Every structure is written in structure tokens, then in C-alpha cells.
Amino acid sequence: MGIFGEGIVYKTAEEIAIMREAALVVSRTLGLVAKHLQPGVTPASLDQMAENYIRQQKAIPGFKGLYGCPSTLLISINEQVVHGLPTKRPIQEGDLVSVDCGAIYKGYYGDHAYTFEVGEVSPEKKKLCKVTKECLYLGIEACTTSNRIEDIGYAIQRHAEANGFGIVRDLVGHGLGTKLHEEPQVPNYGRRGQGKRIQNGLTIAIEPMINMGTWKVKTLSDEWTIVTEDGLPSAHFEHDVAVVDGKAEILSSFEYIYEALKL
Ligand code: MG
Ligand code: MG
């Protein structure tokens, strides 16, 4: 079951191969969501669809039942940052919809997310999405064995703040494996050259959560949904990566989404 060191569970090549399958269960599910996400559709119906599809792939929803989570997907709209519970309130033209999904396959977790633009969204929202996705890939590029954990957040923070956006501090990326949240925490901000050295076999979810305005967030009375304090929109993209031969290999894929959206 991997090698334990300083609380981090480093994975073997065999484990990483299973984790790629787990991540791709989620990727395919996000592709299905992409196909159906349009004005008038309810988050609750997408959630049911996702659960069925995950089970068809001989996997188990990864979030449902964990920490008391009632759903398969977490769907966060506009000023909702993450952890939005799927409701029956229809999605509208112009919404930014972040869909986060987890699955367990052969005992290992996949956990990744995409923020969708529904129909025509404002140029400001478009820019927020573009920059947040760029932040994700800059974070992944920084995830090498010549760097340390905070170098990932440093790369993300630099790009987000250069664009005038706020970086959520209260929620972070994380180690991933037989547990959804393992060591280490992977903040989306950081100091250059700080934190634990990145080693081969590290498997983490990198997930910038970037706000158009303030970085500050609060939790709604449902005790799940995190929203921006100023009510401005937020975006969230997440990939699962494994460090192999010194650099990050992306285990999850946005290709199913791009295919569905004809991007
Ligand atoms: Mg996630
Ligand atoms: Mg995550």
C-alpha cells in the first residue's frame, strides 16, 4: 500500500495505474455532465445521472456519504466557490457552473473538477475561467522533484494575482489515494522553495479556487456551500497528478469535456 514517509503515502507504479483509472472514471463522468449541462437543467438531475454513470463504470461515488456529503457531484454556481449541493433550481444562461466529482475505483480515489460556462457568459467571467485554468496548469508544471510543495501554490498565486483575482485560502489541494484527503495539503498560495520536497510517487489533487474579487469566503446555512464574501463569481479547476520520473503526470483528463463541448 505505498511507502509512508512524513505522513505522505508515496504510490507505486501499480497504484498510480489504478489511480489513473479512478481519475478517468471521473473524467468520463464530467464529459457526460458537459453533454447535458444547459439552461433549464437542474443540478439534482445531473447528480443522479453522474451517480448512475459512475456505478456503470464499476466504481462508487467518492463524495456521497463521506463527511456526511449527500451527493455524487458538488455543483457550485457563480458566487458559490465549492461544495454546492445539487438543488432542483434550474441552471441559467450566463451561469458559471463548477462541477466537482469523486469516484472510488479498486479502492483508490479520483477527484477532479471543471468550471463550465453556460451559454454566453460575461467577458469578466470568461477571463476568470481562463486564468483559473491557466493557474491549474502552471501549478502542475511546478510540481517537479526539483521543487517543494509551496512552489505549486507560488506559481498559482503569481498568475492569479497578476490578473487582479483573489485566491481562496480556506480550501486547498491535497494528497490523494486510498483516502480522498491525504497528506500533504497543497495550498494555492505559497512561498518559493518552501514546504516538503516533491518526490516521485507523490499523488495529489491540484485545485485552484480563484475569486473575481476578494479571496474571503463564507459558508452558507446548509453548512456545505462555500460562497465568496463579496458575492462576486468564483472558478475552480482540478486535476489529479502523479509525480513520475521527476515531473507531474496528469492522471485525469478534460478531453471528454472538450469532446462534448466540441472545443
Ligand atoms: Mg474535487
Ligand atoms: Mg479535491
Side-chain angles (χ1 to χ4, degrees):
M1 294 290 280
I3 303 154
F4 289 80
E6 296 180 81
I8 297 173
V9 187
Y10 296 96
K11 311 300 189 297
T12 64
E14 291 73 19
E15 288 177 293
I16 290 169
I18 300 170
M19 287 188 66
R20 184 187 300 278
E21 290 308 310
L24 290 176
V25 168
V26 175
S27 304
R28 286 189 286 268
T29 306
L30 291 177
L32 182 75
V33 168
K35 214 177 283 179
H36 290 88
L37 187 64
Q38 52 185 335
V41 165
T42 68
S45 70
L46 295 172
D47 185 60
Q48 189 57 57
M49 203 181 289
E51 176 170 352
N52 295 344
Y53 191 47
I54 287 171
R55 294 192 192 281
Q56 274 175 38
Q57 298 174 79
K58 305 211 182 323
I60 305 166
F63 298 162
K64 201 172 184 175
L66 190 68
Y67 315 123
C69 179
S71 58
T72 295
L73 301 178
L74 291 166
I75 301 183
S76 311
I77 303 169
N78 297 325
E79 78 285 359
Q80 299 177 351
V81 179
V82 286
H83 301 173
L85 299 179
T87 66
K88 289 188 172 154
R89 188 164 160 234
I91 285 159
Q92 293 174 30
E93 173 90 15
D95 280 345
L96 269 196
V97 181
S98 141
V99 181
D100 198 348
C101 179
I104 307 168
Y105 181 75
K106 294 188 177 170
Y108 289 81
Y109 278 89
D111 169 25
H112 89 115
Y114 194 89
T115 298
F116 297 92
E117 301 170 11
V118 181
E120 267 314 301
V121 305
S122 69
E124 294 78 16
K125 282 180 170 176
K126 245 187 207 322
K127 186 183 170 197
L128 177 67
C129 268
K130 179 173 175 279
V131 169
T132 306
K133 197 195 279 183
E134 287 165 356
C135 282
L136 170 62
Y137 286 105
L138 288 168
I140 292 170
E141 259 174 54
C143 184
T144 73
T145 51
S146 36
N147 278 342
R148 291 173 179 269
I149 290 292
E150 287 196 34
D151 287 305
I152 297 169
Y154 175 80
I156 292 169
Q157 179 173 19
R158 222 169 93 132
H159 190 54
E161 290 182 347
N163 282 279
F165 296 142
I167 294 147
V168 175
R169 261 80 164 155
D170 304 34
L171 299 125
V172 297
H174 50 92
L176 186 73
T178 57
K179 296 201 194 96
L180 178 62
H181 296 123
E182 296 186 352
E183 291 282 310
Q185 294 203 350
V186 185
N188 294 303
Y189 56 89
R191 301 154 299 170
R192 208 173 204 168
Q194 298 295 311
K196 282 178 185 158
R197 183 168 290 287
I198 294 168
Q199 295 183 40
N200 285 323
L202 181 75
T203 50
I204 55 174
I206 299 179
E207 50 176 318
M209 291 156 256
I210 309 289
N211 297 345
M212 196 181 284
T214 179
W215 59 270
K216 292 185 180 165
V217 298
K218 57 186 185 185
T219 309
L220 292 186
S221 58
D222 65 9
E223 290 180 352
W224 273 93
T225 316
I226 310 280
V227 297
T228 57
E229 209 177 80
D230 58 11
L232 289 175
S234 183
H236 174 218
F237 289 88
E238 178 177 23
H239 265 318
D240 301 334
V241 308
V243 180
V244 177
D245 295 334
K247 60 180 185 35
E249 260 183 29
I250 305 177
L251 304 177
S252 44
S253 170
F254 291 148
E255 283 311 312
Y256 301 94
I257 292 171
Y258 296 155
E259 206 175 294
L261 301 179
K262 300 185 169 66
L263 289 178

